[in-house]
DNA sequence: AATTCAAACAACCGCTCCAAT
DNA sequence: GATTGGAGCGGTTGTTTGAAT
């Protein structure tokens, strides 16, 4: 049995709100409040609108002290930090930005901020693939190659790695002492990424050193050489914050870290890292003829569908919260733990 | 000046959550 | 414990606006 609709779809007006409708709604709510029942509200005041539409109009536009546009650099930073930390939980992000609505932030992110952050990738991809004649924006016209991990998850991972390495080459990804123990399958997954890494002829320390003791790259110095605060006895930070020892503030139980990290000079391999990242989800976009690179597939019933299984498993476990912050799976799997980092854009 | 295209924004849709019954 | 229905949320779509040709 399906749910009853919240309103009579045939008798409600859709589309842009007129100034008269705005005035009616605003006047009523300012005087009487919503009465705790949005569904009944439009009928009370004679608006032929769905209650949900009234609520949205009030929250996103008519409510006092709403700011539109003109996002500051500081707001950009906060949005980026929180997006990487908690994903597309726009309401929580909006709660950190007085006067901003979740819808506004969501639109801003999707239309501008994301491009601002990832713009370099596109440009770099154009450079890198120019000689191959391949359109960097064209993955063969088949997005199924990037199936598995959700675009949001990939995007956040890429953003995180890119920003983290660009700003702090001594970060988590470059520091074996900080790596959590991975599930054997995850290790294999990363091995395959290493394989692809070699295939793309990218001498990328991030990937080369993902597996301690298995890297072909020169051994890293001791952790202390990278960060005097780190020693072998330091456990993995359960706050997942390797940059800042301050407590992580929480909103609705979600860790929020808005601290900024001092920007450090980009190291020489950053261009290579970007190049790696430019191939969005390179490990998950293997063409048919590249699949043998995933040797572990042979050990898992010989099916390349297992790659999809892994990705789906990952996604489905995250899906319950519709976000990457599904802490139980992330913490237990331990793969992408440090999402509480701050950035300066 | 007309047309095309992309960016920006507003609004809708469908889903989940949760309190009330 | 099961059901119901409103609130809230995030993804998506539709419309408007402005730049480029």
């Amino acid at each position: 049995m399906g749910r009853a609709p919240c309103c009579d779809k045939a008798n409600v007006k859709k589309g842009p709100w007129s100034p008269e409708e705005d005035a009616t709604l605003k006047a009523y709510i300012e005087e009487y409040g919503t009465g705790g029942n949005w569904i009944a509200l439009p009928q009370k005041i004679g608006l032929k609108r769905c209650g949900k539409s009234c609520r949205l109009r009030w929250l996103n536009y008519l409510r006092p002290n709403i700011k539109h546009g003109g996002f500051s650099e500081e707001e950009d930073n906060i949005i980026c930090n929180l997006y990487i930390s908690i994903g597309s939980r726009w309401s929580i992000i909006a709660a950190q930005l007085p006067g901003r609505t979740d819808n506004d932030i969501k639109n801003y992110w999707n239309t501008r901020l994301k491009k601002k952050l990832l713009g370099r990738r596109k440009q770099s991809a154009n450079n890198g693939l120019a000689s191959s004649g391949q359109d960097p924006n064209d993955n063969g016209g088949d997005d199924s190659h990037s199936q598995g991990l959700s675009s949001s998850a990939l995007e956040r991972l890429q953003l995180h790695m890119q920003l983290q390495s660009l700003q702090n080459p001594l970060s988590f990804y470059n520091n074996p002492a900080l790596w959590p123990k991975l599930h054997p399958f995850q290790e294999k997954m990363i091995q395959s990424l290493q394989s692809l890494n070699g295939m793309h002829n990218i001498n990328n320390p991030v990937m080369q050193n993902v597996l301690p003791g298995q890297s072909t790259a020169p051994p890293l110095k001791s952790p202390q050489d990278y960060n005097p605060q780190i020693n072998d006895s330091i456990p993995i930070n359960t706050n997942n914050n390797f940059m800042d020892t301050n407590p992580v503030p929480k909103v609705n139980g979600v860790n929020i870290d808005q601290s900024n990290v001092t920007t450090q000079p980009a190291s020489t391999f950053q261009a290579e890292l970007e190049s790696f990242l430019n191939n969005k989800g390179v490990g998950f976009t293997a063409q048919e003829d590249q699949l043998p690179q995933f040797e572990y597939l042979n050990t898992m019933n010989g099916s390349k569908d297992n790659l999809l299984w892994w990705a789906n498993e990952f996604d489905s476990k995250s899906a319950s919260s519709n976000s990457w912050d599904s802490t139980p799976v992330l913490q237990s799997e331990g793969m992408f733990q440090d999402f509480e980092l701050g950035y300066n854009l």
Side-chain angles (χ1 to χ4, degrees):
Chain A
M1 185 179 74
R3 282 191 56 170
C6 64
C7 57
D8 182 0
K9 303 281 184 188
N11 291 319
V12 297
K13 184 183 171 187
K14 291 184 179 180
W17 281 64
S18 69
E20 291 77 21
E21 289 175 311
D22 281 347
T24 302
L25 179 61
K26 192 174 183 197
Y28 181 86
I29 294 178
E30 283 180 345
E31 184 155 0
Y32 303 106
T34 65
N37 189 340
W38 284 107
I39 300 300
L41 190 144
Q43 280 190 328
K44 281 185 189 172
I45 59 179
L47 281 179
K48 291 188 174 181
R49 290 278 181 176
C50 173
K52 291 169 74 171
S53 180
C54 292
R55 174 185 163 272
L56 209 61
R57 185 65 179 172
W58 170 255
L59 291 176
N60 289 338
Y61 201 82
L62 300 174
R63 189 160 49 111
N65 303 320
I66 293 291
K67 285 191 282 185
H68 289 287
F71 282 82
S72 67
E73 283 290 318
E74 184 182 3
E75 287 174 314
D76 286 359
N77 284 339
I78 292 172
I79 294 169
C80 185
N81 284 341
L82 292 178
Y83 181 84
I84 290 169
S85 293
I86 64 175
S88 57
R89 300 178 74 168
W90 305 117
S91 60
I92 293 175
I93 295 173
Q96 306 305 302
L97 299 171
R100 301 294 186 187
T101 70
D102 54 356
N103 205 41
D104 220 17
I105 293 169
K106 178 174 59 182
N107 284 333
Y108 180 58
W109 171 264
N110 285 330
T111 60
R112 286 192 262 180
L113 197 50
K114 185 165 67 177
K115 291 172 187 172
K116 177 179 172 183
L117 291 169
L118 297 176
R120 285 194 313 268
R121 296 177 47 226
K122 198 172 184 177
Q123 185 179 5
S124 180
N126 280 328
N127 296 338
L129 295 172
S131 59
S132 70
Q134 179 182 352
D135 181 349
N137 297 321
D138 181 7
N139 61 7
D142 182 5
D143 279 340
S144 64
H145 290 309
S146 58
Q147 62 194 333
L149 283 180
S150 71
S151 58
S152 173
L154 278 172
E155 181 180 284
R156 291 178 60 212
L157 176 58
Q158 290 173 5
L159 269 174
H160 178 70
M161 293 177 69
Q162 183 175 9
L163 291 173
Q164 169 70 1
S165 292
L166 281 171
Q167 292 169 15
N168 187 356
L170 312 180
S171 70
F172 165 80
Y173 293 107
N174 301 329
N175 193 334
L178 296 177
W179 295 329
K181 178 166 176 59
L182 300 182
H183 185 283
F185 184 79
Q186 292 172 329
E187 294 189 355
K188 283 182 176 289
M189 191 71 181
I190 291 170
Q191 274 185 289
S192 68
L193 285 174
Q194 283 185 280
S195 173
L196 284 171
N197 186 28
M199 184 176 68
H200 288 264
N201 195 28
I202 295 171
N203 182 27
N204 187 334
V206 170
M207 300 312 298
Q208 284 182 343
N209 295 296
V210 162
L211 289 179
Q214 297 186 21
S215 170
T216 57
L220 289 171
K221 298 177 181 178
S222 70
Q224 290 86 346
D225 289 331
Y226 293 99
N227 186 343
Q229 293 180 324
I230 296 172
N231 63 52
D232 290 341
S233 66
I234 293 178
I236 297 296
N237 185 339
T238 53
N239 276 340
N240 306 325
N241 185 340
F242 302 98
M243 310 293 291
D244 187 351
T245 56
N246 291 331
V248 179
K250 290 191 173 186
V251 173
N252 296 340
V254 177
N255 288 347
I256 307 293
D257 178 10
Q258 296 176 33
S259 64
N260 290 325
V261 175
T262 302
T263 301
Q264 301 197 13
S267 65
T268 55
F269 70 79
Q270 296 315 321
E272 294 165 344
L273 170 60
E274 280 201 272
S275 177
F276 173 76
L277 293 171
N278 286 334
N279 296 314
K280 180 175 180 178
V282 58
F284 312 99
T285 58
Q287 303 292 326
E288 287 290 316
D289 60 352
Q290 295 171 337
L291 284 168
Q293 299 283 343
F294 296 91
E295 293 177 1
Y296 62 87
L297 294 177
N298 296 327
T299 69
M300 296 190 64
N301 301 326
S303 168
K304 62 192 175 190
D305 287 339
N306 284 304
L307 176 61
L308 182 59
W309 163 82
W310 179 85
N312 285 339
E313 182 78 355
F314 184 85
D315 252 12
S316 65
K317 286 181 177 177
S318 317
S320 62
S321 65
N322 208 17
S323 167
W324 252 39
D325 83 320
S326 184
T327 48
V329 62
L330 288 182
Q331 286 176 355
S332 64
E333 300 293 334
M335 188 168 181
F336 303 112
Q337 289 193 341
D338 92 348
F339 280 89
E340 307 300 334
L341 304 171
Y343 302 100
N344 286 322
L345 298 180

